[in-house]
Amino acid sequence: MTSLQKLIPIPQPPKHGYGFLGNVPDIDRKAISPSYGKLVALYGPIFRLDLLSKTVTILASQELINEICNETRFTKQLGTLRQVRIALGDGMITALTNEHNWKLAHKLLIPSFGPMAVRAMFPQMLDIISQMILKWERLGPCHAINVSDNFTRLTLDIIGLTGFNHRFNSFYSDEEHPFVSSLMGMLWGASKTAMRSKLENLLRYWSRRDFKRHTETLHKLCDGIIKDRRDNPKDVNDMLNIMLLARDPETGEGLSDENIRYQVETLLAAGHETTSALLSFTIYELLQNPSVLAKAQLEVDTILGTSDLHAEHLPQLHYLDAILKETLRLHPPAAQICMSSNSGPGILAGRYAYTESDIFILDLVDLHRDPTVWGTDALTFRPERMLNGGFEKLPPNAWKPWGNGVRACVGRDFAMQDALMTVALILRRFRLCRVLGRGEVIVEQTVTQKPVGLFIRAEVREGKDSEVRNAEEGWGKSGSGRPALLRRRTTLTTTTQIAYRISNTEQNTASGPACSLAVLYGSNSGTCKAFAEDMASEGSSLGFCINGIQTLDSISEKIPVDRPILIIAPSYEGRPSDDSKKFVSWLERIAGSQTAGDSAGPAAHEGAFPLLLRLPLPLHGVRYSVLGVGNTNWVNTYQRIPRLIDGLMERLGGQRIVGLEEANVAGDVYGAFDEWAERVWGQLCSGKRIHSPTESKELGIEIVANGQVARGLDQESLTGPMVHKNEVIASGEFGYVKMHMEIELPECMTYSTGDYIVVQPTNGNEAVQRVLRRFSIAADACILLQDCKKSYLPTKPEHAHALLARYVELHQPISRKQLNTLSECIVEKDAKTEIDRLTHEGFEEDILAKRTSVIDVLETFPTCSLPFARFIDMLQPLKPRQYSVSSSPLASTDKHLASITYDVVTAPALSNQNRIFNGVGTGYLSALQPGNRVNCAVRSTSSGFRLPLDNTVPIIMIAAGTGIAPMRGFLQERAAIAKLGGAPLGKAIFYYGCRHPDMDYLYKNELLAWQEMGVMEMRPCFSCCPDQSQGFKHVPQRIWQDRGELKALFNAGAKILVCGSANKLVKSTADICARIYMEVKKCSLEKARAWLEEVKSDRYVSDTFY
């Protein structure tokens, strides 16, 4: 026995309401797992909670949970299931381990879930899955599919048919089956009841009434199934017959009628709810991780080839199996297990005392994120960790989605086969994409958890056979034999024959489809999409047939060869945009397959890729051109994605129309676009007969009398949270004024430390009035745009002021092409000469360097007769601005309060020193008052810009100016943990650069207080007062001075986090780190930079702004 001196008290959050509310306010009843996660981050892997009706101890690490899973010392308790037991009685899940009925049912039913029994269910599972596949096909690629709803229908029908030979026929009704609605109502009621006090439950009459009503509905439905079998016996070996007819071979005892009802209800409930959650989370993760989706689809295509899915294929789908296991790791359907001691009081992990009455809640979500088991990328969806012996080598009880020991889920093999078959058939048949604009995907948690609000579109992949039940058999028939399958064949293809071909009647001719053109883009901020719309508009005016613009992801596996394709692709720190990830992964995948096939020789081609001999290169016949949009401030990753796309398409057989054009947003991005467009049109129009452009019309404008104006912004995923606080934290004596804003997020919008707030601003009134004065238009004039081909412009009447404020950029530098347009509208020779000078020799100095806009030039040349419609048509869409969150949800008592820190950009305009320029985004933000709504949304960081999961890992933080924003959030989080005496913290050093210790040292008092607490060590650098920062004016100087200490920290596993200006702090920090590496390794600068690129994904992560 451990001595008392070594025992550690189990931490507990402070109670609320003077102790009367206990810790109940710490737990969100709709998000129990995230609530536990927040407390784990604050208090560590063990803590107590007073939930009024009971006191529980939460466990969240493999070390602690592994010990609790010892069934000789601990046993399962019902926990929340105690309320479910009222409805489901002593069914398999809600019975106690020592109850007679549990032991009897377990003995009789276990054989029904053995490997051979589950494998025999393959035909019936295939029957139901085929119904869903066929329905998705018939709905078409434009239909938004509710993922959770469809998988709930699927899994209910499967357990109904396989277990009870009963068809619920869920896919033949728009309404969900009454069993599902009653089950969810019962589970919600049970979950809420478990979190309330006895007094509150006593007072909630209506809740008790609803719970009783749902329970009675479940009883009635299941009693009907049992009665039907008794009245119409069937000679089938299903679970219902076993319940009705099986007897204990030792005692001859069978299940009672009441217990049979409870077992039917339990198997229907558990058999569909957990598998539905697994499938829903799997699709969510695949859409979030396009490279994983591409690998999974490749495996399915390779294993199945041109054959149907058979049971013998399932053990070969290793990667798909790993995907399911990784999904279960991050999203266990049942997120908690309740345990207690069955051997009296004792000591847990040698340091925590417990009693026989203590209740332990095993927090599986945080167990599956334990960095001591899963590493620093525990939050990353990475199925590869489950392959090559990785799963088998896991420590005991590190992966527990199916429960524990003798009380583990008996249907886990059933669920895995069901899920494996479903995902394989979906991936084989469809291309999937997520439907945006449907709100946030949230995790709904009762006794189980699953994502809701996830909608997808499913487009049939060319040449992939659909497996559907023979129509002559009928959907309504049941049977245990293998269903007859009707194969619907399309053009024979393989994974390497992916260029889409149309029928001979649609091939290129001198007139008609010969002039078709595809315009594709990838875009996060809107720039590339705007360029794509410009190309589509100009192409239409030249007579090309363009059926709208498309994202790159939308044409994965079906690149057209019947028409030229124009690709406009960005590169975000070397990564593709959100809507081109699948396309890039797909290109890389088929390029890898091509290389593997080439090296394997002809035999390999004949087996796996039979058409490769007929189609030597997958993109043979594809004509394309790529415009890359990047930023030279990201020196090492500049244009990485456009170059990758361009190179892979050529390697795979594509033919360039014109070579890659690289546009630099830090330079003349519009000039590069115009040059590329000119080269493309020159090549495409050369010697070709094109449709007469008589149908093409320029944008027109009509002033509508008494028109009904549009309301609000048409912005997907942007909502209107409220400003809580907006205050100045540094005056403008040294640089810009700096402000701190706190935003109340809506309940459905959550964030993590390191995320961004994306703001959709409006142009300031001063800028809008300049345009209105120039064109003599009243601010309240109601304007209707006619023949508008740009999606970002309103299609309904809009006030002139709102049109200019909400929809278009007014401050972008004018391009050479736009200057030429203005020149066409000028008569005076001298003015034309000056415009010509600005277009050529004066462009860099007088336009780009001074950021001279279209309205600047129009004011300079008042006689220019440019129509207002052409002015609107030449402008780019007003883009959202992104700001790092400067708070932590762990540090706030209000989990929906987030803050940002920003400069208020106000300075004499470079183009005219007599006029003041106000930044669009920060001007919009600074004008907001508490109580105002702000157009914003949360965007998760796509990089590793997070604190290490293991709090003991050292961190080195580097920032300057408002780059302190994410660092403040990180430090807030560490301070919250330190304040509560939670998990131990590793060493942290914060290098912060500003001008003056008293004027722009942001959050100075907070930082010094945190330093006193031991949260971190501050190392400031004051450029205007170096004598107060040990002589250092700039951060890189101090880093170099401390290089010995920093080297030791990095070798001990430290993570470096950098936030600042791309061409200043971020660049100089990277340079100094490379210099330190060169000194240590005695190597060249090239090798030092290569090393820096290697560690940038996890050990050295930067957040860059301009």
Side-chain angles (χ1 to χ4, degrees):
M1 176 69 68
T2 304
S3 66
L4 293 178
Q5 287 77 11
K6 294 183 180 179
L7 293 180
I8 301 174
I10 297 175
Q12 179 176 349
K15 297 180 181 182
H16 299 265
Y18 300 100
F20 291 106
L21 299 179
N23 296 118
V24 171
D26 292 318
I27 305 300
D28 185 341
R29 297 176 184 179
K30 296 181 181 179
I32 297 173
S33 291
S35 299
Y36 285 166
K38 178 177 179 178
L39 294 171
V40 168
L42 290 171
Y43 295 96
I46 181 171
F47 53 90
R48 279 206 173 102
L49 294 176
D50 178 1
L51 301 179
L52 298 185
S53 59
K54 57 185 175 292
T55 297
V56 299
T57 301
I58 311 298
L59 305 178
S61 71
Q62 185 272 336
E63 177 199 13
L64 298 172
I65 289 177
N66 180 49
E67 187 169 339
I68 288 285
C69 287
N70 182 345
E71 291 182 287
T72 64
R73 295 172 55 195
F74 302 92
T75 187
K76 175 183 174 179
Q77 292 295 320
L78 292 182
T80 303
L81 291 175
R82 189 171 300 279
Q83 305 300 322
V84 179
R85 181 184 170 97
I86 298 172
L88 303 187
D90 54 359
M92 289 277 283
I93 292 178
T94 49
L96 297 172
T97 309
N98 58 4
E99 285 186 296
H100 175 71
N101 274 350
W102 179 83
K103 295 176 181 178
L104 179 60
H106 194 263
K107 179 186 291 187
L108 296 180
L109 292 177
I110 275 291
S112 301
F113 292 100
M116 297 304 296
V118 171
R119 186 57 55 92
M121 299 174 188
F122 180 93
Q124 293 164 303
M125 290 183 174
L126 187 60
D127 179 336
I128 302 299
I129 298 169
S130 297
Q131 289 187 39
M132 187 185 72
I133 297 291
L134 183 60
K135 181 177 180 180
W136 287 12
E137 287 183 23
R138 289 173 174 172
L139 289 173
C142 296
H143 182 79
I145 297 169
N146 185 328
V147 171
S148 180
D149 174 72
N150 272 259
F151 287 149
T152 297
R153 295 168 186 265
L154 173 79
T155 53
L156 178 66
D157 282 15
I158 286 177
I159 187 61
L161 182 60
T162 58
F164 310 100
N165 251 262
H166 179 83
R167 289 187 180 271
F168 287 100
N169 291 323
S170 299
F171 289 108
Y172 293 88
S173 173
D174 291 334
E175 302 297 324
E176 67 179 1
H177 195 277
F179 182 89
V180 175
S181 55
S182 294
L183 175 66
M184 293 310 299
M186 183 272 290
L187 292 177
W188 268 115
S191 179
K192 292 176 181 177
T193 300
M195 296 298 295
R196 297 185 190 126
S197 66
K198 293 179 181 179
L199 177 61
E200 184 179 359
N201 283 324
L202 184 64
L203 296 174
R204 287 186 175 268
Y205 166 78
W206 298 108
S207 295
R208 295 200 309 276
R209 190 200 65 170
D210 290 343
F211 185 87
K212 181 180 179 182
R213 176 172 53 84
H214 291 310
T215 300
E216 289 172 348
T217 301
L218 294 176
H219 290 345
K220 182 179 179 181
L221 289 168
C222 292
D223 288 347
I225 293 174
I226 296 168
K227 183 178 184 302
D228 180 66
R229 178 61 60 87
R230 289 192 188 278
D231 294 343
N232 303 283
K234 293 181 180 179
D235 184 18
V236 291
N237 186 30
D238 65 5
M239 285 176 257
L240 183 54
N241 266 1
I242 291 173
M243 293 180 200
L244 293 170
L245 305 174
R247 297 293 181 266
D248 186 334
E250 297 178 3
T251 65
E253 183 183 7
L255 299 177
S256 68
D257 287 352
E258 181 185 52
N259 190 254
I260 290 173
R261 169 209 275 176
Y262 291 145
Q263 301 300 350
V264 171
E265 290 175 344
T266 297
L267 291 173
L268 283 173
H272 92 274
E273 183 70 5
T274 54
T275 313
S276 171
L278 169 58
L279 285 167
S280 299
F281 278 121
T282 299
I283 295 301
Y284 172 79
E285 288 292 357
L286 288 175
L287 293 174
Q288 293 291 104
N289 299 273
S291 62
V292 175
L293 174 59
K295 291 178 184 177
Q297 216 151 30
L298 176 61
E299 180 181 70
V300 171
D301 290 346
T302 304
I303 298 299
L304 268 60
T306 58
S307 71
D308 295 331
L309 176 68
H310 297 299
E312 54 267 27
H313 288 134
L314 300 183
Q316 303 175 53
L317 297 170
H318 302 296
Y319 193 63
L320 228 55
D321 178 73
I323 287 172
L324 294 176
K325 288 175 178 173
E326 180 73 344
T327 300
L328 287 167
R329 180 183 75 84
L330 288 175
H331 311 285
Q336 291 91 34
I337 301 175
C338 187
M339 304 281 284
S340 68
S341 172
N342 61 3
S343 57
I347 306 298
L348 181 63
R351 55 191 186 275
Y352 302 110
Y354 62 85
T355 67
E356 188 174 12
S357 62
D358 281 349
I359 299 173
F360 297 98
I361 302 294
L362 280 55
D363 175 9
L364 303 184
V365 173
D366 288 292
L367 165 69
H368 292 168
R369 290 161 169 75
D370 186 345
T372 64
V373 175
W374 305 101
T376 57
D377 66 341
L379 297 180
T380 302
F381 184 77
R382 186 169 62 83
E384 287 77 9
R385 74 173 87 242
M386 301 293 181
L387 297 172
N388 302 318
F391 181 73
E392 292 74 16
K393 294 175 184 175
L394 288 173
N397 297 306
W399 184 82
K400 296 197 70 64
W402 302 118
N404 182 59
V406 70
R407 296 304 303 266
C409 175
V410 297
R412 53 189 177 273
D413 290 338
F414 175 93
M416 287 296 284
Q417 177 171 300
D418 182 349
L420 196 63
M421 292 174 63
T422 302
V423 176
L425 290 172
I426 288 174
L427 296 187
R428 186 191 188 195
R429 185 58 178 156
F430 298 108
R431 277 183 296 272
L432 305 178
C433 68
R434 183 175 166 188
V435 179
L436 301 177
R438 292 274 185 151
E440 297 288 324
V441 175
I442 61 173
V443 176
E444 185 177 86
Q445 189 166 0
T446 54
V447 176
T448 59
Q449 59 176 3
K450 61 182 177 182
V452 295
L454 176 61
F455 289 82
I456 62 171
R457 291 193 176 94
E459 182 178 4
V460 174
R461 299 172 68 201
E462 289 299 318
K464 299 303 174 186
D465 299 322
S466 173
E467 301 189 356
V468 296
R469 194 172 172 84
N470 192 322
E472 294 180 357
E473 268 194 82
W475 291 109
K477 297 182 180 180
S478 64
S480 58
R482 178 182 175 84
L485 296 176
L486 178 67
R487 292 177 56 93
R488 303 192 324 170
R489 296 189 178 276
T490 55
T491 306
L492 183 63
T493 60
T494 66
T495 55
T496 57
Q497 186 189 354
I498 41 68
Y500 172 68
R501 280 169 167 71
I502 58 176
S503 64
N504 291 334
T505 59
E506 294 175 328
Q507 292 293 337
N508 294 351
T509 58
S511 64
C515 299
S516 295
L517 184 67
V519 182
L520 313 171
Y521 71 92
S523 183
N524 279 358
S525 64
T527 300
C528 291
K529 183 178 181 181
F531 283 156
E533 291 183 333
D534 282 348
M535 290 299 288
S537 178
E538 188 164 358
S540 296
S541 69
L542 291 171
F544 288 93
C545 177
I546 302 173
N547 187 23
I549 60 174
Q550 295 174 274
T551 65
L552 284 165
D553 278 353
S554 69
I555 54 91
S556 297
E557 298 192 351
K558 56 171 186 175
I559 292 182
V561 296
D562 65 312
R563 66 201 67 188
I565 61 174
L566 307 180
I567 296 174
I568 304 169
S571 185
Y572 296 98
E573 292 192 78
R575 294 185 295 271
S577 61
D578 293 340
D579 52 11
S580 61
K581 290 178 180 178
K582 284 167 56 179
F583 177 77
V584 173
S585 294
W586 170 70
L587 274 184
E588 292 178 315
R589 185 192 84 194
I590 60 172
S593 299
Q594 183 73 15
T595 302
D598 290 342
S599 62
H605 290 313
E606 291 170 7
F609 308 110
L611 294 186
L612 198 58
L613 298 177
R614 183 159 65 92
L615 255 182
L617 293 172
L619 299 191
H620 175 73
V622 174
R623 299 183 64 220
Y624 74 96
S625 183
V626 178
L627 170 70
V629 179
N631 193 315
T632 49
N633 286 315
W634 286 319
V635 178
N636 296 317
T637 58
Y638 178 64
Q639 298 287 348
R640 178 184 173 273
I641 296 302
R643 291 171 185 172
L644 179 66
I645 292 173
D646 181 66
L648 286 178
M649 290 188 68
E650 182 193 35
R651 174 180 159 191
L652 293 169
Q655 178 184 356
R656 292 188 181 96
I657 301 168
V658 296
L660 170 70
E661 180 77 35
E662 297 183 352
N664 176 22
V665 297
D668 183 14
V669 63
Y670 299 104
F673 166 71
D674 291 338
E675 289 177 11
W676 176 71
E678 187 175 348
R679 290 195 295 130
V680 165
W681 299 131
Q683 188 66 31
L684 291 178
C685 296
S686 176
K688 300 246 180 122
R689 184 157 69 92
I690 300 174
H691 282 311
S692 171
T694 55
E695 296 299 320
S696 178
K697 297 180 180 179
E698 290 187 349
L699 177 69
I701 283 182
E702 178 185 355
I703 306 295
V704 183
N706 300 319
Q708 183 66 39
V709 300
R711 298 295 180 189
L713 288 174
D714 183 18
Q715 293 287 342
E716 284 189 348
S717 78
L718 293 180
T719 59
M722 183 183 294
V723 176
H724 176 74
K725 181 188 292 185
N726 196 19
E727 60 186 9
V728 174
I729 55 175
S731 65
E733 293 183 44
F734 287 83
Y736 296 127
V737 169
K738 294 169 175 59
M739 297 190 71
H740 170 89
M741 175 183 284
E742 294 178 2
I743 303 170
E744 294 180 19
L745 302 175
E747 189 172 335
C748 64
M749 191 182 294
T750 59
Y751 76 97
S752 299
T753 315
D755 284 347
Y756 305 103
I757 296 291
V758 181
V759 176
Q760 182 64 44
T762 57
N763 287 308
N765 182 61
E766 167 69 23
V768 172
Q769 291 295 338
R770 290 175 65 199
V771 178
L772 294 175
R773 287 194 299 269
R774 175 61 178 78
F775 289 98
S776 300
I777 296 176
D780 60 353
C782 191
I783 290 179
L784 175 64
L785 302 180
Q786 300 172 328
D787 300 306
C788 180
K789 300 181 180 67
K790 297 182 177 180
S791 63
Y792 57 87
L793 292 175
T795 57
K796 296 180 180 180
E798 182 63 275
H799 286 147
H801 191 286
L803 173 65
L804 294 168
R806 296 177 176 179
Y807 297 97
V808 291
E809 292 280 0
L810 298 179
H811 298 291
Q812 289 281 3
I814 190 171
S815 69
R816 287 186 170 92
K817 183 178 180 180
Q818 291 169 341
L819 284 168
N820 288 331
T821 300
L822 298 191
S823 181
E824 294 171 3
C825 301
I826 292 176
V827 176
E828 294 86 349
K829 183 177 180 181
D830 290 345
K832 278 183 170 291
T833 301
E834 178 59 14
I835 290 283
D836 184 69
R837 186 193 70 80
L838 292 174
T839 306
H840 297 92
E841 62 268 22
F843 189 77
E844 294 287 337
E845 181 179 350
D846 294 326
I847 300 296
L848 292 183
K850 295 182 179 180
R851 298 194 60 81
T852 303
S853 66
V854 177
I855 188 62
D856 288 333
V857 177
L858 286 173
E859 288 178 337
T860 304
F861 299 96
T863 60
C864 178
S865 59
L866 180 77
F868 184 61
R870 292 190 73 181
F871 172 77
I872 293 294
D873 196 35
M874 67 171 53
L875 299 179
Q876 294 295 310
L878 184 61
K879 294 185 285 292
R881 271 63 171 174
Q882 183 168 283
Y883 302 89
S884 293
V885 173
S886 60
S887 58
S888 167
L890 296 187
S892 175
T893 55
D894 184 347
K895 64 182 179 180
H896 297 300
L897 202 63
S899 70
I900 57 175
T901 310
Y902 60 97
D903 286 309
V904 182
V905 180
T906 301
L910 297 174
S911 58
N912 183 347
Q913 293 292 307
N914 296 320
R915 183 174 51 80
I916 298 298
F917 169 78
N918 296 303
V920 176
T922 59
Y924 165 76
L925 290 173
S926 63
L928 295 173
Q929 299 296 319
N932 289 157
R933 294 288 175 177
V934 54
N935 291 320
C936 70
V938 174
R939 176 178 290 169
S940 177
T941 177
S942 58
S943 66
F945 198 73
R946 304 276 194 203
L947 284 175
L949 287 177
D950 184 350
N951 290 323
T952 63
V953 172
I955 54 173
I956 302 166
M957 295 176 288
I958 303 165
T962 52
I964 195 175
M967 306 306 177
R968 178 179 183 262
F970 295 146
L971 292 172
Q972 246 190 15
E973 189 157 310
R974 286 171 60 89
I977 295 170
K979 183 178 180 180
L980 296 171
L985 298 175
K987 183 171 184 177
I989 300 175
F990 183 20
Y991 291 92
Y992 179 57
C994 61
R995 292 176 175 84
H996 194 283
D998 299 320
M999 304 305 295
D1000 63 345
Y1001 191 171
L1002 304 185
Y1003 306 111
K1004 178 180 178 180
N1005 293 336
E1006 279 186 341
L1007 295 173
L1008 296 180
W1010 290 336
Q1011 181 172 239
E1012 285 294 316
M1013 291 173 58
V1015 172
M1016 52 62 184
E1017 182 181 332
M1018 279 301 302
R1019 298 190 183 177
C1021 298
F1022 308 122
S1023 60
C1024 295
C1025 301
D1027 57 306
Q1028 296 190 46
S1029 53
Q1030 299 184 21
F1032 299 107
K1033 293 181 65 175
H1034 302 292
V1035 166
Q1037 298 172 339
R1038 192 158 190 173
I1039 290 176
W1040 178 254
Q1041 179 67 28
D1042 298 342
R1043 61 189 183 278
E1045 179 186 6
L1046 299 182
K1047 172 194 167 186
L1049 274 179
F1050 193 82
N1051 289 338
K1055 182 173 185 176
I1056 300 175
L1057 298 164
V1058 186
C1059 184
S1061 172
N1063 57 0
K1064 294 180 181 178
L1065 180 78
V1066 173
K1067 182 179 183 300
S1068 60
T1069 300
D1071 289 343
I1072 206 67
C1073 289
R1075 184 179 166 193
I1076 294 172
Y1077 186 84
M1078 290 170 60
E1079 181 185 73
V1080 173
K1081 297 294 184 179
K1082 310 297 183 187
C1083 66
S1084 66
L1085 179 60
E1086 284 187 5
K1087 288 186 177 180
R1089 286 177 174 168
W1091 162 80
L1092 205 57
E1093 286 301 312
E1094 289 177 7
V1095 298
K1096 272 190 174 180
S1097 62
D1098 56 351
R1099 300 286 307 281
Y1100 180 101
V1101 190
S1102 61
D1103 186 15
T1104 305
F1105 58 84
Y1106 305 101

